[in-house]
Amino acid sequence: MDRLEGRRREIVSVSFSLIQSLSVIVWLRWSFIQFDSLQNDSLILKRETMSGMNCFNATPGDTTWMLTATGLVLLMTPALAFFESGLLRAKNTLSIVVQIFTGVISLSLLWFLFGYSITYGNDQAGFIGGINHAFFIGVDYDDCSPHATKVPAAIFALFQMMFAVITPLLMTGAFAERMAFKAFFAFILLWEIFVYYPVAHWIWGGGFLDSW
């Protein structure tokens, strides 16, 4: 019975990994198609963003590397799940894998809704960003962010999303087997909103530490 249960967990874990890997491949392919459509007129993008920055020297090489790095960080999440499950008792393997993949989905959605905006949006008194980029409004493939003037703003937002997602998930190893799923889910969302977003804005988003 234990051997059968272990086999079932292995199948579920491998299935999760395959699904995420296929998702990364499809997403990367779609991103390349979107970027290629911007290269019809010129190999170098020189566009002005809503904030007045110029998208200079944005070559396909810069953008390709950012897409590759984004995909690699995304692939770190199933590796994190398998690493941490190897440190737990066998009966909790599926639990930690589900926690990691649930965190990826929920934190990605949170970043899309308002996370990117309050991290890299218009500065508000040096402590938090505005909501001008909520739902990725104004975050386009043919414009550049003032925080990354050599790659399209949408790709920069996706790249930063990967780190916003994996950072709280790295903490799961500290309280694995010690926290119920509901408590885990609430914790990572609250930590993301009240710790990661403000601190990231202070340092990289134009906050009061960015000018030091």
Short mmCIF file of all heavy atoms in Angstrom, two decimals, residues 95-142:
data_model
loop_
_atom_site.label_atom_id
_atom_site.label_comp_id
_atom_site.label_asym_id
_atom_site.label_seq_id
_atom_site.Cartn_x
_atom_site.Cartn_y
_atom_site.Cartn_z
N SER A 95 1.89 17.41 -0.53
CA SER A 95 1.46 18.66 0.10
C SER A 95 2.38 19.82 -0.27
O SER A 95 1.91 20.89 -0.67
CB SER A 95 1.43 18.50 1.63
OG SER A 95 1.17 19.73 2.26
N ILE A 96 3.70 19.62 -0.18
CA ILE A 96 4.62 20.71 -0.47
C ILE A 96 4.63 21.04 -1.97
O ILE A 96 4.75 22.20 -2.36
CB ILE A 96 6.05 20.37 0.03
CG1 ILE A 96 6.94 21.62 0.01
CG2 ILE A 96 6.67 19.27 -0.81
CD1 ILE A 96 6.55 22.65 1.01
N VAL A 97 4.46 20.02 -2.82
CA VAL A 97 4.40 20.27 -4.26
C VAL A 97 3.18 21.12 -4.60
O VAL A 97 3.26 22.07 -5.38
CB VAL A 97 4.38 18.93 -5.04
CG1 VAL A 97 4.10 19.18 -6.52
CG2 VAL A 97 5.71 18.21 -4.88
N VAL A 98 2.04 20.79 -4.01
CA VAL A 98 0.83 21.56 -4.26
C VAL A 98 0.98 22.99 -3.73
O VAL A 98 0.54 23.95 -4.36
CB VAL A 98 -0.39 20.87 -3.60
CG1 VAL A 98 -1.62 21.77 -3.68
CG2 VAL A 98 -0.68 19.55 -4.30
N GLN A 99 1.61 23.15 -2.58
CA GLN A 99 1.82 24.49 -2.04
C GLN A 99 2.67 25.34 -2.99
O GLN A 99 2.34 26.51 -3.24
CB GLN A 99 2.51 24.39 -0.67
CG GLN A 99 1.62 23.92 0.44
CD GLN A 99 2.34 23.89 1.78
OE1 GLN A 99 3.46 24.36 1.91
NE2 GLN A 99 1.69 23.32 2.79
N ILE A 100 3.74 24.77 -3.52
CA ILE A 100 4.61 25.53 -4.41
C ILE A 100 3.88 25.93 -5.68
O ILE A 100 3.92 27.10 -6.10
CB ILE A 100 5.87 24.71 -4.76
CG1 ILE A 100 6.73 24.46 -3.51
CG2 ILE A 100 6.68 25.41 -5.84
CD1 ILE A 100 7.33 25.71 -2.91
N PHE A 101 3.18 25.00 -6.30
CA PHE A 101 2.51 25.32 -7.56
C PHE A 101 1.32 26.25 -7.34
O PHE A 101 1.04 27.11 -8.18
CB PHE A 101 2.06 24.03 -8.25
CG PHE A 101 3.15 23.35 -9.00
CD1 PHE A 101 3.97 22.42 -8.37
CD2 PHE A 101 3.39 23.63 -10.33
CE1 PHE A 101 5.00 21.79 -9.05
CE2 PHE A 101 4.43 23.01 -11.03
CZ PHE A 101 5.23 22.09 -10.38
N THR A 102 0.63 26.12 -6.22
CA THR A 102 -0.43 27.06 -5.89
C THR A 102 0.13 28.46 -5.68
O THR A 102 -0.47 29.45 -6.10
CB THR A 102 -1.18 26.61 -4.63
OG1 THR A 102 -1.71 25.30 -4.83
CG2 THR A 102 -2.32 27.56 -4.30
N GLY A 103 1.28 28.53 -5.04
CA GLY A 103 1.92 29.82 -4.83
C GLY A 103 2.31 30.48 -6.14
O GLY A 103 2.15 31.69 -6.31
N VAL A 104 2.82 29.69 -7.09
CA VAL A 104 3.19 30.24 -8.39
C VAL A 104 1.98 30.88 -9.07
O VAL A 104 2.05 32.01 -9.58
CB VAL A 104 3.79 29.15 -9.29
CG1 VAL A 104 3.99 29.66 -10.71
CG2 VAL A 104 5.11 28.65 -8.73
N ILE A 105 0.88 30.19 -9.06
CA ILE A 105 -0.32 30.70 -9.74
C ILE A 105 -0.87 31.94 -9.05
O ILE A 105 -1.13 32.96 -9.69
CB ILE A 105 -1.39 29.60 -9.79
CG1 ILE A 105 -0.91 28.41 -10.62
CG2 ILE A 105 -2.70 30.14 -10.35
CD1 ILE A 105 -1.79 27.19 -10.54
N SER A 106 -1.03 31.88 -7.73
CA SER A 106 -1.65 32.99 -7.00
C SER A 106 -0.76 34.23 -6.98
O SER A 106 -1.24 35.36 -7.16
CB SER A 106 -1.98 32.56 -5.57
OG SER A 106 -0.81 32.10 -4.89
N LEU A 107 0.55 34.04 -6.82
CA LEU A 107 1.45 35.19 -6.77
C LEU A 107 1.63 35.83 -8.14
O LEU A 107 1.80 37.05 -8.25
CB LEU A 107 2.81 34.76 -6.21
CG LEU A 107 2.80 34.32 -4.74
CD1 LEU A 107 4.14 33.72 -4.34
CD2 LEU A 107 2.43 35.48 -3.82
N SER A 108 1.58 35.02 -9.20
CA SER A 108 1.62 35.58 -10.55
C SER A 108 0.40 36.43 -10.82
O SER A 108 0.49 37.52 -11.41
CB SER A 108 1.71 34.45 -11.59
OG SER A 108 2.89 33.70 -11.42
N LEU A 109 -0.76 35.95 -10.41
CA LEU A 109 -1.99 36.71 -10.59
C LEU A 109 -1.95 38.01 -9.79
O LEU A 109 -2.37 39.06 -10.28
CB LEU A 109 -3.19 35.86 -10.17
CG LEU A 109 -4.57 36.52 -10.29
CD1 LEU A 109 -4.86 36.89 -11.74
CD2 LEU A 109 -5.66 35.58 -9.76
N LEU A 110 -1.42 37.94 -8.57
CA LEU A 110 -1.32 39.13 -7.73
C LEU A 110 -0.40 40.17 -8.37
O LEU A 110 -0.70 41.37 -8.34
CB LEU A 110 -0.78 38.72 -6.35
CG LEU A 110 -1.01 39.71 -5.20
CD1 LEU A 110 -2.50 39.78 -4.87
CD2 LEU A 110 -0.24 39.25 -3.97
N TRP A 111 0.68 39.71 -8.96
CA TRP A 111 1.61 40.63 -9.64
C TRP A 111 0.93 41.31 -10.82
O TRP A 111 1.12 42.50 -11.05
CB TRP A 111 2.82 39.84 -10.10
CG TRP A 111 3.90 40.65 -10.76
CD1 TRP A 111 4.14 40.74 -12.10
CD2 TRP A 111 4.88 41.47 -10.13
NE1 TRP A 111 5.21 41.56 -12.34
CE2 TRP A 111 5.69 42.03 -11.15
CE3 TRP A 111 5.16 41.78 -8.80
CZ2 TRP A 111 6.76 42.88 -10.87
CZ3 TRP A 111 6.22 42.63 -8.53
CH2 TRP A 111 7.00 43.17 -9.55
N PHE A 112 0.14 40.56 -11.56
CA PHE A 112 -0.58 41.12 -12.69
C PHE A 112 -1.63 42.13 -12.24
O PHE A 112 -1.79 43.19 -12.87
CB PHE A 112 -1.24 40.00 -13.50
CG PHE A 112 -2.20 40.48 -14.54
CD1 PHE A 112 -1.74 41.04 -15.73
CD2 PHE A 112 -3.57 40.39 -14.34
CE1 PHE A 112 -2.63 41.50 -16.70
CE2 PHE A 112 -4.46 40.84 -15.29
CZ PHE A 112 -4.00 41.39 -16.47
N LEU A 113 -2.35 41.84 -11.18
CA LEU A 113 -3.44 42.71 -10.74
C LEU A 113 -2.92 44.07 -10.28
O LEU A 113 -3.38 45.11 -10.75
CB LEU A 113 -4.24 42.03 -9.63
CG LEU A 113 -5.03 40.78 -10.03
CD1 LEU A 113 -5.71 40.17 -8.81
CD2 LEU A 113 -6.06 41.11 -11.09
N PHE A 114 -1.98 44.06 -9.33
CA PHE A 114 -1.49 45.34 -8.83
C PHE A 114 -0.04 45.29 -8.33
O PHE A 114 0.53 46.34 -8.01
CB PHE A 114 -2.39 45.85 -7.69
CG PHE A 114 -2.47 44.93 -6.50
CD1 PHE A 114 -1.51 44.97 -5.49
CD2 PHE A 114 -3.50 44.02 -6.39
CE1 PHE A 114 -1.59 44.14 -4.40
CE2 PHE A 114 -3.58 43.17 -5.30
CZ PHE A 114 -2.63 43.23 -4.30
N GLY A 115 0.56 44.12 -8.27
CA GLY A 115 1.90 44.01 -7.72
C GLY A 115 2.93 44.80 -8.50
O GLY A 115 3.72 45.55 -7.92
N TYR A 116 2.93 44.63 -9.83
CA TYR A 116 3.90 45.38 -10.64
C TYR A 116 3.68 46.88 -10.50
O TYR A 116 4.64 47.65 -10.43
CB TYR A 116 3.77 44.96 -12.10
CG TYR A 116 4.67 45.76 -13.03
CD1 TYR A 116 6.03 45.49 -13.12
CD2 TYR A 116 4.15 46.82 -13.79
CE1 TYR A 116 6.85 46.23 -13.94
CE2 TYR A 116 4.98 47.56 -14.63
CZ TYR A 116 6.31 47.26 -14.70
OH TYR A 116 7.14 48.01 -15.51
N SER A 117 2.43 47.28 -10.43
CA SER A 117 2.12 48.71 -10.38
C SER A 117 2.62 49.36 -9.10
O SER A 117 3.25 50.41 -9.13
CB SER A 117 0.60 48.92 -10.52
OG SER A 117 0.29 50.29 -10.58
N ILE A 118 2.36 48.73 -7.95
CA ILE A 118 2.77 49.36 -6.69
C ILE A 118 4.26 49.17 -6.43
O ILE A 118 4.81 49.77 -5.50
CB ILE A 118 1.95 48.85 -5.49
CG1 ILE A 118 2.19 47.36 -5.25
CG2 ILE A 118 0.48 49.13 -5.71
CD1 ILE A 118 1.47 46.83 -4.02
N THR A 119 4.91 48.33 -7.23
CA THR A 119 6.36 48.18 -7.11
C THR A 119 7.10 49.11 -8.06
O THR A 119 8.06 49.77 -7.67
CB THR A 119 6.78 46.73 -7.40
OG1 THR A 119 6.09 45.84 -6.51
CG2 THR A 119 8.28 46.55 -7.20
N TYR A 120 6.66 49.19 -9.31
CA TYR A 120 7.35 49.98 -10.32
C TYR A 120 6.48 51.10 -10.91
O TYR A 120 6.87 51.71 -11.90
CB TYR A 120 7.84 49.07 -11.46
CG TYR A 120 8.93 48.14 -11.02
CD1 TYR A 120 8.66 46.80 -10.73
CD2 TYR A 120 10.24 48.59 -10.88
CE1 TYR A 120 9.66 45.95 -10.32
CE2 TYR A 120 11.24 47.74 -10.47
CZ TYR A 120 10.95 46.42 -10.19
OH TYR A 120 11.95 45.57 -9.77
N GLY A 121 5.34 51.37 -10.30
CA GLY A 121 4.50 52.47 -10.76
C GLY A 121 5.02 53.81 -10.29
O GLY A 121 6.10 53.92 -9.69
N ASN A 122 4.26 54.85 -10.55
CA ASN A 122 4.65 56.20 -10.15
C ASN A 122 4.87 56.27 -8.65
O ASN A 122 4.02 55.85 -7.86
CB ASN A 122 3.58 57.21 -10.58
CG ASN A 122 3.47 57.31 -12.09
OD1 ASN A 122 4.42 57.02 -12.82
ND2 ASN A 122 2.31 57.73 -12.58
N ASP A 123 6.00 56.83 -8.25
CA ASP A 123 6.38 56.87 -6.84
C ASP A 123 5.42 57.74 -6.03
O ASP A 123 5.01 58.82 -6.45
CB ASP A 123 7.80 57.41 -6.70
CG ASP A 123 8.25 57.46 -5.27
OD1 ASP A 123 8.20 56.43 -4.59
OD2 ASP A 123 8.66 58.55 -4.82
N GLN A 124 5.06 57.22 -4.85
CA GLN A 124 4.18 57.94 -3.93
C GLN A 124 4.94 58.19 -2.63
O GLN A 124 5.03 57.32 -1.77
CB GLN A 124 2.91 57.14 -3.65
CG GLN A 124 2.14 56.70 -4.88
CD GLN A 124 1.56 57.88 -5.64
OE1 GLN A 124 1.08 58.85 -5.05
NE2 GLN A 124 1.61 57.81 -6.97
N ALA A 125 5.53 59.38 -2.52
CA ALA A 125 6.24 59.80 -1.31
C ALA A 125 7.42 58.90 -0.97
O ALA A 125 7.88 58.87 0.17
CB ALA A 125 5.28 59.86 -0.12
N GLY A 126 7.94 58.18 -1.95
CA GLY A 126 9.12 57.37 -1.73
C GLY A 126 8.88 56.03 -1.06
O GLY A 126 9.83 55.29 -0.81
N PHE A 127 7.62 55.69 -0.77
CA PHE A 127 7.34 54.47 -0.02
C PHE A 127 6.62 53.40 -0.83
O PHE A 127 6.79 52.22 -0.56
CB PHE A 127 6.51 54.81 1.23
CG PHE A 127 7.29 55.49 2.30
CD1 PHE A 127 7.31 56.87 2.40
CD2 PHE A 127 8.06 54.75 3.20
CE1 PHE A 127 8.05 57.50 3.37
CE2 PHE A 127 8.80 55.37 4.18
CZ PHE A 127 8.80 56.76 4.27
N ILE A 128 5.82 53.77 -1.80
CA ILE A 128 5.06 52.79 -2.56
C ILE A 128 4.76 53.37 -3.94
O ILE A 128 4.77 54.58 -4.14
CB ILE A 128 3.75 52.40 -1.83
CG1 ILE A 128 3.21 51.06 -2.33
CG2 ILE A 128 2.73 53.50 -1.97
CD1 ILE A 128 4.04 49.87 -1.96
N GLY A 129 4.51 52.48 -4.90
CA GLY A 129 4.17 52.94 -6.24
C GLY A 129 2.68 53.18 -6.39
O GLY A 129 1.88 52.80 -5.53
N GLY A 130 2.30 53.81 -7.48
CA GLY A 130 0.90 54.08 -7.74
C GLY A 130 0.22 52.91 -8.41
O GLY A 130 0.78 51.83 -8.57
N ILE A 131 -1.02 53.14 -8.83
CA ILE A 131 -1.79 52.08 -9.48
C ILE A 131 -1.94 52.35 -10.97
O ILE A 131 -2.85 51.83 -11.62
CB ILE A 131 -3.18 51.94 -8.83
CG1 ILE A 131 -3.97 53.26 -8.89
CG2 ILE A 131 -3.05 51.47 -7.38
CD1 ILE A 131 -5.41 53.13 -8.43
N ASN A 132 -1.04 53.15 -11.54
CA ASN A 132 -1.14 53.49 -12.95
C ASN A 132 -0.86 52.31 -13.88
O ASN A 132 -1.23 52.33 -15.05
CB ASN A 132 -0.20 54.65 -13.28
CG ASN A 132 1.23 54.37 -12.85
OD1 ASN A 132 1.48 54.07 -11.68
ND2 ASN A 132 2.16 54.47 -13.77
N HIS A 133 -0.22 51.26 -13.36
CA HIS A 133 0.07 50.08 -14.18
C HIS A 133 -0.71 48.85 -13.71
O HIS A 133 -0.32 47.72 -14.02
CB HIS A 133 1.56 49.77 -14.18
CG HIS A 133 2.39 50.78 -14.91
ND1 HIS A 133 2.10 51.19 -16.19
CD2 HIS A 133 3.50 51.47 -14.53
CE1 HIS A 133 2.99 52.08 -16.58
NE2 HIS A 133 3.85 52.27 -15.59
N ALA A 134 -1.79 49.04 -12.95
CA ALA A 134 -2.61 47.91 -12.52
C ALA A 134 -3.14 47.17 -13.75
O ALA A 134 -3.47 47.78 -14.77
CB ALA A 134 -3.76 48.40 -11.65
N PHE A 135 -3.22 45.85 -13.65
CA PHE A 135 -3.63 44.99 -14.76
C PHE A 135 -2.71 45.17 -15.98
O PHE A 135 -3.13 44.97 -17.11
CB PHE A 135 -5.08 45.28 -15.16
CG PHE A 135 -6.08 45.01 -14.08
CD1 PHE A 135 -6.52 46.04 -13.26
CD2 PHE A 135 -6.56 43.73 -13.86
CE1 PHE A 135 -7.44 45.79 -12.25
CE2 PHE A 135 -7.48 43.48 -12.86
CZ PHE A 135 -7.92 44.51 -12.04
N PHE A 136 -1.46 45.56 -15.71
CA PHE A 136 -0.46 45.76 -16.77
C PHE A 136 -0.89 46.84 -17.76
O PHE A 136 -0.52 46.79 -18.94
CB PHE A 136 -0.17 44.46 -17.51
CG PHE A 136 0.88 43.61 -16.83
CD1 PHE A 136 1.18 43.78 -15.48
CD2 PHE A 136 1.57 42.63 -17.52
CE1 PHE A 136 2.14 42.99 -14.85
CE2 PHE A 136 2.53 41.83 -16.91
CZ PHE A 136 2.80 42.02 -15.57
N ILE A 137 -1.64 47.80 -17.31
CA ILE A 137 -2.03 48.92 -18.18
C ILE A 137 -0.79 49.75 -18.51
O ILE A 137 -0.04 50.16 -17.63
CB ILE A 137 -3.09 49.81 -17.49
CG1 ILE A 137 -4.38 49.02 -17.29
CG2 ILE A 137 -3.35 51.08 -18.30
CD1 ILE A 137 -5.44 49.78 -16.52
N GLY A 138 -0.55 49.98 -19.78
CA GLY A 138 0.62 50.74 -20.21
C GLY A 138 1.90 49.94 -20.22
O GLY A 138 2.97 50.49 -20.45
N VAL A 139 1.81 48.64 -19.96
CA VAL A 139 2.99 47.77 -19.98
C VAL A 139 2.94 47.00 -21.30
O VAL A 139 2.30 45.96 -21.40
CB VAL A 139 3.00 46.81 -18.77
CG1 VAL A 139 4.26 45.95 -18.78
CG2 VAL A 139 2.90 47.60 -17.48
N ASP A 140 3.63 47.52 -22.31
CA ASP A 140 3.50 47.00 -23.67
C ASP A 140 4.81 46.41 -24.17
O ASP A 140 5.87 46.61 -23.60
CB ASP A 140 3.05 48.11 -24.62
CG ASP A 140 1.76 48.77 -24.16
OD1 ASP A 140 0.84 48.04 -23.75
OD2 ASP A 140 1.67 50.02 -24.21
N TYR A 141 4.72 45.70 -25.28
CA TYR A 141 5.89 45.15 -25.93
C TYR A 141 6.60 46.18 -26.81
O TYR A 141 7.74 45.98 -27.21
CB TYR A 141 5.52 43.94 -26.79
CG TYR A 141 5.35 42.66 -26.00
CD1 TYR A 141 4.11 42.26 -25.56
CD2 TYR A 141 6.45 41.87 -25.68
CE1 TYR A 141 3.95 41.08 -24.83
CE2 TYR A 141 6.31 40.70 -24.96
CZ TYR A 141 5.05 40.32 -24.54
OH TYR A 141 4.91 39.17 -23.81
N ASP A 142 5.92 47.27 -27.15
CA ASP A 142 6.54 48.27 -28.02
C ASP A 142 6.97 49.51 -27.25
O ASP A 142 7.29 50.53 -27.84
CB ASP A 142 5.60 48.64 -29.16
CG ASP A 142 4.26 49.16 -28.65
OD1 ASP A 142 3.99 49.03 -27.44
OD2 ASP A 142 3.49 49.68 -29.47
#
